[in-house]
């Protein structure tokens, strides 16, 4: 049986050392792993190409770890045209118009499949090889979104690892008086018997009371334990300084049931949005960091959604929270408090996030301006937040503690690493991939090229020069 080789020729790597970053490298992949990394020979004819080896022309671009959606809604992207017109842009309005559109998903299953396929395809073309994809389960859609998500997970196997979240966006408790969870919970529980689900999740903040929200967390953690799944919460999605952050309750319950790093393996509890944490004091961050040393809870910021939806004007017309405080500043939080934060896209073209794109690198670029991030170590952290940190956050990364603290921040491949990359052809240094991500890309998953994206370029000046040369 022949061995599968791929040779990625003449690329820059994201070395922290400036001299190494200027060097061109050849990266050889064998059977899904990095087999060899060597300085590129200036003479192509001197490069030894193994038999049965695919050669990828690097064009002296930058080879980065492949990208990751740590938080993406597979069923709710690209539905803005199906929603009622937005009149206020508020969160209650977004919930209302989305629920109305979602009620039609069972009758529009071909559209649901097409939109989800577009999301995956465009993501892979941008360099995404891993995603945590939410599909909703409730009395409006029942198992329709889940079944399509599981179908797509199977269809895209070998191109992109899709981690399906059986997700309860709606309340588990039907009323303020309810003592037991209702039909939404029963549907969610029955869904977990289907093979292929990796995560169970919910949005505790939609429950009728804080007490019910705490019960919601307990139910989800219990289901995750029973079915050996990750748990995922949309949590602390507010900017209310008077609201006690529910992350403390999630951690308390994790400790109560013994969900620790020592016992859980790669299983994680993840919280998305977590905008309230941006108001933490240094003491609160220190407390959280200490808790995270023992308990495997991870954090995902969703900048495109958070800065759009959070911090709406108060009744007197003033903003209660500055723009840059409406989402978590991943680079600063790591620098000042030693807590890593992933960043993810969440939604595109729906009422929660009308704007933005599926390319995670655009989040890194957004972070530079939004948080006035001006140093290379911070740029590296932003880059990491949409690639290796995101993978670790959803339990699909290496999790090597020494690597995450290395000078290169885990952004430079090592022999034996999974051969999962995005090659940004137009970038000639890693900094450009953060500051102005190029369009032309090649995606490599498990040592095999799975997508190429190229711009078709034309200008009248080019055509005039061609005609003049021909004449």
């Amino acid at each position: 049986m022949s061995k599968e080789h791929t040779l990625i020729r003449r690329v820059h790597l994201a070395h922290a050392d400036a001299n190494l970053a200027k060097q061109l490298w050849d990266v050889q992949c064998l059977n899904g792993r990095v087999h060899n990394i060597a300085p590129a020979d200036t003479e192509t004819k001197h490069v030894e190409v193994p038999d049965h080896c695919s050669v990828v022309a690097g064009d002296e671009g930058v080879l980065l770890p492949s990208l990751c959606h740590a938080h993406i809604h597979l069923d709710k992207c690209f539905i803005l045209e199906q929603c009622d017109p937005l009149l206020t842009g508020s969160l209650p309005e977004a919930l209302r118009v989305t629920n109305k559109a979602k009620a039609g998903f069972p009758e529009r299953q071909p559209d649901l499949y097409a939109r989800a396929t577009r999301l995956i395809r465009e993501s892979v073309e941008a360099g995404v090889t891993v995603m945590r994809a939410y599909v909703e389960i409730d009395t409006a859609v029942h198992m329709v979104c889940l079944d399509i998500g599981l179908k797509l997970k199977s269809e895209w196997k070998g191109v992109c690892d899709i981690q399906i979240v059986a997700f309860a966006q709606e309340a588990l408790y039907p009323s303020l008086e309810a003592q037991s969870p209702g039909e939404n919970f029963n549907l969610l529980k029955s869904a977990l018997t289907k093979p292929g689900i990796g995560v169970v999740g919910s949005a505790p903040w939609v429950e009728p009371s804080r007490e019910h929200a705490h019960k919601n967390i307990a139910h989800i953690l219990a289901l995750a334990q029973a079915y050996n799944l990750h748990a995922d919460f949309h949590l602390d999605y507010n900017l209310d300084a008077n609201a006690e952050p529910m992350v403390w309750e999630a951690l308390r319950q994790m400790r109560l049931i013994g969900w620790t790093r020592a016992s859980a393996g790669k299983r994680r509890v993840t919280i998305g949005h977590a905008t309230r944490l941006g108001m933490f004091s240094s003491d609160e961050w220190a407390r959280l960091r200490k808790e995270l040393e023992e308990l495997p809870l991870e954090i995902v910021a969703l900048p495109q959604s958070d800065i759009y939806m959070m911090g709406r004007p108060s009744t007197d017309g003033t903003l209660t929270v500055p723009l840059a405080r409406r989402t978590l500043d991943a680079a600063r939080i790591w620098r000042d408090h030693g807590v890593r934060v992933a960043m993810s896209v969440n939604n595109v073209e729906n009422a929660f996030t009308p704007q933005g794109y599926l390319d995670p690198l655009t989040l890194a670029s957004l972070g530079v301006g939004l948080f006035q991030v001006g140093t290379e170590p911070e740029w590296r952290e932003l880059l990491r937040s949409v690639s290796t940190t995101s993978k670790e956050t959803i339990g699909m990364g290496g999790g090597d503690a020494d690597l995450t603290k290395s000078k290169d921040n885990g952004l430079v491949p090592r022999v034996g690493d999974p051969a999962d990359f995005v090659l940004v052809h137009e970038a000639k240094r890693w900094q450009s991939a953060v500051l102005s991500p190029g369009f032309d890309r090649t995606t490599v998953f498990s040592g095999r090229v799975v997508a190429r994206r190229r711009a078709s370029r034309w200008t009248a000046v080019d055509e005039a020069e061609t005609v003049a040369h021909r004449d």
Side-chain angles (χ1 to χ4, degrees):
M1 182 177 178
S2 62
K3 295 181 178 180
E4 185 176 354
H5 282 79
T6 300
L7 178 64
I8 306 172
R9 291 235 46 233
R10 299 178 63 76
V11 293
H12 294 280
L13 300 177
H15 284 286
D17 184 292
N19 291 326
L20 292 176
K22 292 176 183 177
Q23 169 75 53
L24 291 172
W25 303 85
D26 290 339
V27 178
Q28 185 179 347
C29 309
L30 174 64
N31 290 342
R33 297 277 172 176
V34 177
H35 182 64
N36 188 51
I37 304 171
D41 199 311
T42 56
E43 296 293 335
T44 303
K45 63 183 180 181
H46 291 165
V47 177
E48 294 185 7
V49 179
D51 293 337
H52 311 292
C53 181
S54 301
V55 178
V56 178
D59 304 327
E60 301 187 6
V62 175
L63 190 70
L64 302 171
S66 65
L67 307 176
C68 172
H69 288 320
H71 185 129
I72 191 85
H73 285 266
L74 196 62
D75 47 8
K76 292 196 299 194
C77 276
F78 311 119
I79 64 167
L80 198 57
E81 64 179 12
Q82 300 176 20
C83 295
D84 291 342
L86 302 181
L87 303 178
T88 66
S90 67
L91 183 57
E93 180 185 60
L95 289 166
R96 176 178 56 79
V97 301
T98 301
N99 283 342
K100 183 178 178 180
K102 189 176 73 173
F105 286 0
E107 288 73 44
R108 297 194 299 271
Q109 292 185 46
D111 170 75
L112 175 59
Y113 177 84
R115 289 187 292 101
T117 299
R118 175 188 171 189
L119 182 154
I120 298 168
R121 184 181 304 279
E122 292 186 8
S123 297
V124 172
E125 290 172 349
V128 172
T129 63
V130 180
M131 66 175 67
R132 173 171 284 187
Y134 298 77
V135 288
E136 296 189 13
I137 298 166
D138 53 43
T139 55
V141 295
H142 291 266
M143 306 293 174
V144 168
C145 301
L146 175 61
D147 289 341
I148 287 178
L150 291 172
K151 179 181 179 181
L152 288 166
K153 172 184 171 71
S154 176
E155 289 178 353
W156 286 83
K157 183 179 180 181
V159 176
C160 180
D161 273 342
I162 302 176
Q163 190 184 66
I164 295 294
V165 186
F167 183 61
Q169 172 67 70
E170 308 305 321
L172 301 184
Y173 286 83
S175 68
L176 188 62
E177 296 77 23
Q179 297 299 310
S180 301
E183 186 59 23
N184 284 336
F185 176 73
N186 295 331
L187 285 168
L188 181 66
K189 187 175 180 179
S190 65
L192 299 183
T193 61
K194 290 177 178 280
I197 295 171
V199 191
V200 59
S202 69
W205 61 272
V206 303
E207 295 292 348
S209 73
R210 189 173 186 86
E211 180 183 359
H212 287 104
H214 289 182
K215 290 180 179 180
N216 178 306
I217 294 171
H219 287 308
I220 297 301
L221 290 177
L223 288 175
Q225 292 283 64
Y227 289 90
N228 196 32
L229 302 172
H230 300 283
D232 191 294
F233 299 104
H234 290 35
L235 205 66
D236 289 330
Y237 191 26
N238 66 77
L239 292 172
D240 183 355
N242 296 317
E244 174 70 13
M246 277 196 279
V247 64
W248 304 124
E249 176 64 18
L251 289 164
R252 185 190 70 80
Q253 293 196 29
M254 288 174 67
R255 189 178 297 280
L256 187 66
I257 62 176
W259 193 329
T260 66
R261 293 192 183 275
S263 66
K266 283 198 168 186
R267 289 195 307 118
R268 298 286 185 267
V269 177
T270 303
I271 61 172
H273 292 290
T275 48
R276 174 64 178 82
L277 276 60
M279 307 176 79
F280 270 11
S281 65
S282 294
D283 288 344
E284 287 172 308
W285 279 117
R287 174 187 170 189
L288 181 60
R289 179 180 179 179
K290 185 174 179 59
E291 292 269 23
L292 299 188
E293 290 174 359
E294 182 180 352
L295 304 175
L297 182 137
E298 311 289 345
I299 304 167
V300 184
L302 308 170
Q304 289 179 170
S305 298
D306 296 341
I307 62 175
Y308 171 76
M309 193 59 69
M310 290 286 99
R312 293 282 167 179
S314 58
T315 54
D316 62 1
T318 61
L319 283 176
T320 56
V321 178
L323 179 65
R325 293 285 301 278
R326 298 185 207 175
T327 191
L328 297 179
D329 182 346
R332 180 188 61 82
I333 290 169
W334 170 248
R335 182 196 67 203
D336 294 347
H337 308 295
V339 175
R340 277 217 147 95
V341 174
M343 295 196 300
S344 195
V345 168
N346 186 37
N347 288 304
V348 171
E349 282 190 46
N350 70 15
F352 299 96
T353 321
Q355 85 296 352
Y357 187 50
L358 291 168
D359 178 7
L361 281 180
T362 62
L363 301 181
S365 181
L366 172 66
V368 173
L370 182 63
F371 302 118
Q372 297 180 314
V373 172
T375 69
E376 291 194 359
E378 292 170 315
W379 295 345
R380 299 179 74 79
E381 189 59 30
L382 290 175
L383 179 56
R384 200 179 195 284
S385 71
V386 297
S387 56
T388 51
T389 295
S390 279
K391 293 173 188 176
E392 292 157 7
T393 294
I394 62 173
M396 300 184 74
D400 186 328
D402 293 333
L403 179 62
T404 63
K405 296 176 182 178
S406 68
K407 186 177 181 181
D408 289 318
N409 219 8
L411 297 174
V412 176
R414 304 177 303 172
V415 171
D417 283 352
D420 302 333
F421 303 111
V422 56
L423 173 55
V424 185
H425 291 268
E426 295 156 297
K428 303 306 177 187
R429 59 192 198 118
W430 70 264
Q431 294 91 333
S432 298
V434 176
L435 302 175
S436 54
F439 183 85
D440 289 5
R441 301 187 193 177
T442 297
T443 306
V444 177
F445 179 56
S446 196
R448 183 171 67 94
V449 174
V450 294
R452 291 188 179 93
R453 191 174 77 174
R454 298 289 185 275
S456 178
R457 294 178 171 87
W458 174 92
T459 68
V461 172
D462 294 332
E463 183 177 51
E465 289 179 350
T466 300
V467 171
H469 179 72
R470 188 167 59 239
D471 294 342

